[in-house]
Amino acid sequence: MEKLLERYTPDQQKTIADYWDTIRFTRRSNRVSVGIKQKELEYWAKFDPEVVIKALKIHIEKYPHIRENYTRGILRNLRGGSVHGGDHDSRKTAEAAKPSGKRDSRAEEAFKRRLSGI
């Protein structure tokens, strides 16, 4: 587990410790197992440390009563763009580029040309 924490600065490691201190209250025993921490740190390795810390802070501030799996959703949203202020989502751009509704844009252009020629 120590090896997985090496990628974080001392300040970031403090945020991680604060996160686990918050998460422990979602358990009856008020403890989070080393195995859970290990599994989450391995998952977090897929993301930039800054994004991980931002997600942890969001979880601590807004959702302290929800278990650690909620953080995974926050991380995915931060990477893909969300209400949390993440990066731009390329899928949304592709959807916005599609013609809206059932109308074909080429048919609409042809119709406009026909109207202007009349």
Side-chain angles (χ1 to χ4, degrees):
M1 195 161 80
E2 294 297 321
K3 201 163 194 95
L4 292 168
L5 286 170
E6 288 176 358
R7 63 187 289 235
Y8 301 100
T9 67
D11 285 340
Q12 291 173 332
Q13 289 181 15
K14 173 147 179 20
T15 301
I16 292 169
D18 292 344
Y19 170 78
W20 289 121
D21 191 45
T22 301
I23 293 299
R24 75 184 176 93
F25 292 109
T26 64
R27 306 292 201 282
R28 281 189 224 148
S29 65
N30 284 335
R31 288 183 274 171
V32 179
S33 73
V34 174
I36 296 286
K37 291 178 182 180
Q38 176 82 21
K39 190 174 181 180
E40 293 307 305
L41 283 165
E42 289 170 0
Y43 182 80
W44 297 348
K46 300 175 186 177
F47 301 89
D48 289 332
E50 294 79 23
V51 174
V52 172
I53 298 306
K54 185 174 182 178
L56 299 184
K57 287 180 179 180
I58 289 169
H59 193 135
I60 291 168
E61 292 171 16
K62 294 184 177 183
Y63 313 103
H65 57 283
I66 300 176
R67 287 186 168 220
E68 68 282 344
N69 58 347
Y70 198 76
T71 305
R72 290 183 175 213
I74 296 171
L75 279 166
R76 288 189 301 267
N77 285 335
L78 287 175
R79 178 171 39 178
S82 73
V83 295
H84 296 299
D87 297 332
H88 185 69
D89 187 355
S90 59
R91 289 174 294 173
K92 290 179 184 173
T93 304
E95 287 176 16
K98 291 180 185 176
S100 60
K102 294 181 180 180
R103 181 176 260 178
D104 186 309
S105 62
R106 289 174 291 169
E108 189 173 355
E109 289 172 22
F111 180 73
K112 287 179 183 177
R113 282 195 304 270
R114 184 173 167 210
L115 280 178
S116 64
I118 293 179

